[in-house]
Amino acid sequence: NCRMNELISDIPFLVKKLTAEGYGIYALLTSLVGYYALFEFGLGQGVVKFVAEYKAKQDNESIFHSINAALWVQIFSGIFGSAIMVVLSNPILHLIKVPPRLWSDARISLLMCSVGFFFTMISGTLSSVLMGLQRYDITGIVSTLINIILNISIVLFLLAGIGLKGVVFLTVLSAAIMLVVYYVILKGEFPHWKFSFKIEKSRIKTLFHFSGYIFISQISNLISNNFVRFIISYFLGPAAVAVYVICTRILGAFVGFIGSAFRTIFPFSSEIAARKDDIELKKLFTDASKLFANLSFPFLLAICAFSRVILKLWLGEDFASSGWHILSLLAIVTLLGSITTVPNLTVLGMGYAKVVGLFSIFSVLFALVLIPIFTSLWGLEGTAIAMLISSFPGICLLVYQTKN
């Protein structure tokens, strides 16, 4: 599920063509699109849950109303978020310490990202509907094909001498294409669905009642994935961001693949909960937890143990010497975070978003306080240690979910 992202196999090429500083700026600017979670308010997950629930009840009319309610919120939020990025473009570039020689390209790239932000908001809702229908085969194929085409196009642009602006343009264009493709597919699934200009407040209220707690959890993920990059850039500069991003790309490539496969648990558990089949629900929880652990643990532990070798073979000795310990620490952080994947998806499908949201508050507070302090004191090592400490509330959540 690679929204506004590049394949990790392209990273050495991108770093070579854009320089470490240029690549760090690219990663920062495109990660701004990831901040749609702040304006999406968790509605994507709400759409997944209620579409799955109404599907189990064969209530297509309620599915249509839920889609339209979510789209209205996303349209207004997308416009607002894009406008903020445009108005605050100069302060944002100052914050991430863009050097003067890259300022012009970075500003144009940021304005393009503001457009991509809007596309991502809308396509997120449409893809959530397909996930609620358990059509992860469709979302997986679409995102994979578009990102393969994106990566090939980026390579060709860079070989032609088109730098940062061209790479960002292609990234934003891929988001627009994804939006159109999802819309066409959704119309194929629901030929009778039409976007209504009537705003149903009751539907929006129902969605927000569930998604409000999801929103808290998404803020925690947002800090882990995007906010930390800007903290690193502020204290250490864009080149340090490149080291951090490359390490997280390695981990995210595998964990994201596994996590995407297991996301089907969310709508599936919602359907089971709607049928009130507790036995099947418990079996899903235990079997999926064991399978996820057997797939993810060996890989993450291997990365932790052989981080220097991996980075040396991939990016050379210089990069390996400065980044291997960061990769090892982040592998442990990812391992601790991954064990909550199946429990979280299961309890969300059952409708207990409040539980996940409340525990996420502690993770957010830990991260907001510790990451800036530790980064300023100990550099990237401090960042990784702060993220490790911030993952402990997730362990407490796992214990609580399993017990109850």
Side-chain angles (χ1 to χ4, degrees), residues 4-7 10 13-14 17-18 26 30 146-164 166-172 174:
M4 300 293 285
N5 201 354
E6 80 276 359
L7 296 175
D10 281 345
F13 180 77
L14 286 169
K17 290 293 183 179
L18 295 175
Y26 169 67
T30 53
I146 288 179
N147 278 281
I148 288 174
I149 295 171
L150 169 62
N151 279 274
I152 293 173
S153 301
I154 286 175
V155 169
L156 294 176
F157 264 50
L158 290 176
L159 288 174
I162 300 175
L164 180 64
V167 173
V168 173
F169 169 76
L170 290 173
T171 307
V172 173
S174 71

Side-chain angles (χ1 to χ4, degrees), residues 27-28 30-37 218-232 241 244 249 387:
L28 286 166
T30 53
S31 70
L32 284 171
V33 179
Y35 276 82
Y36 82 94
Q218 286 181 334
I219 291 177
S220 177
N221 293 330
L222 192 67
I223 289 174
S224 298
N225 297 325
N226 294 327
F227 172 75
V228 64
R229 299 180 186 181
F230 291 91
I231 296 297
I232 293 171
V241 175
Y244 172 81
R249 289 280 194 263
M387 294 181 66

Side-chain angles (χ1 to χ4, degrees), residues 341-392:
T341 299
V342 171
N344 283 349
L345 292 170
T346 305
V347 299
L348 288 177
M350 296 169 67
Y352 296 116
K354 185 176 182 179
V355 175
V356 178
L358 291 178
F359 273 92
S360 296
I361 291 175
F362 293 101
S363 294
V364 170
L365 293 176
F366 273 57
L368 286 175
V369 173
L370 296 179
I371 290 176
I373 295 174
F374 282 32
T375 301
S376 64
L377 293 175
W378 302 302
L380 281 177
E381 293 89 344
T383 305
I385 293 171
M387 294 181 66
L388 180 62
I389 297 173
S390 300
S391 66
F392 290 161

Side-chain angles (χ1 to χ4, degrees), residues 42-271:
L43 283 179
Q45 294 285 67
V47 169
V48 174
K49 185 213 168 359
F50 287 110
V51 167
E53 185 177 313
Y54 294 140
K55 176 193 171 188
K57 298 175 181 178
Q58 298 182 342
D59 186 357
N60 282 353
E61 195 67 26
S62 291
I63 291 178
F64 298 161
H65 289 312
S66 297
I67 295 172
N68 290 333
L71 280 175
W72 267 114
V73 175
Q74 306 298 47
I75 288 172
F76 285 120
S77 298
I79 293 172
F80 180 69
S82 297
I84 288 178
M85 291 174 67
V86 172
V87 172
L88 298 179
S89 58
N90 285 338
I92 289 172
L93 296 180
H94 279 296
L95 177 66
I96 63 177
K97 297 184 177 180
V98 174
R101 62 186 178 83
L102 294 174
W103 184 273
S104 177
D105 286 358
R107 191 172 190 280
I108 294 173
S109 299
L110 177 55
L111 296 178
M112 287 191 288
C113 284
S114 69
V115 179
F117 181 90
F118 179 79
F119 293 149
T120 303
M121 289 286 293
I122 308 303
S123 66
T125 297
L126 302 182
S127 65
S128 293
V129 177
L130 295 172
M131 293 175 188
L133 297 172
Q134 297 192 45
R135 297 309 309 268
Y136 285 84
D137 56 330
I138 293 177
T139 58
I141 290 172
V142 169
S143 63
T144 300
L145 288 178
I146 288 179
N147 278 281
I148 288 174
I149 295 171
L150 169 62
N151 279 274
I152 293 173
S153 301
I154 286 175
V155 169
L156 294 176
F157 264 50
L158 290 176
L159 288 174
I162 300 175
L164 180 64
K165 291 184 294 185
V167 173
V168 173
F169 169 76
L170 290 173
T171 307
V172 173
L173 179 62
S174 71
I177 294 172
M178 193 171 292
L179 167 60
V180 173
V181 171
Y182 279 144
Y183 176 81
V184 172
I185 292 172
L186 188 58
K187 285 294 291 183
E189 293 285 329
F190 291 124
H192 300 296
W193 167 67
K194 292 181 180 179
F195 178 67
S196 172
F197 289 95
K198 180 181 178 182
I199 301 177
E200 295 190 47
K201 295 181 180 178
S202 60
R203 294 287 177 179
I204 294 177
K205 184 178 179 180
T206 300
L207 285 169
F208 270 112
H209 182 72
F210 175 82
S211 63
Y213 294 105
I214 299 292
F215 176 58
I216 298 173
S217 178
Q218 286 181 334
I219 291 177
S220 177
N221 293 330
L222 192 67
I223 289 174
S224 298
N225 297 325
N226 294 327
F227 172 75
V228 64
R229 299 180 186 181
F230 291 91
I231 296 297
I232 293 171
S233 181
Y234 179 78
F235 287 108
L236 308 175
V241 175
V243 175
Y244 172 81
V245 169
I246 288 170
C247 291
T248 55
R249 289 280 194 263
I250 296 172
L251 297 165
F254 178 82
V255 175
F257 173 75
I258 296 295
S260 295
F262 278 80
R263 285 193 191 105
T264 54
I265 293 172
F266 179 28
F268 188 43
S269 61
S270 184
E271 283 193 24

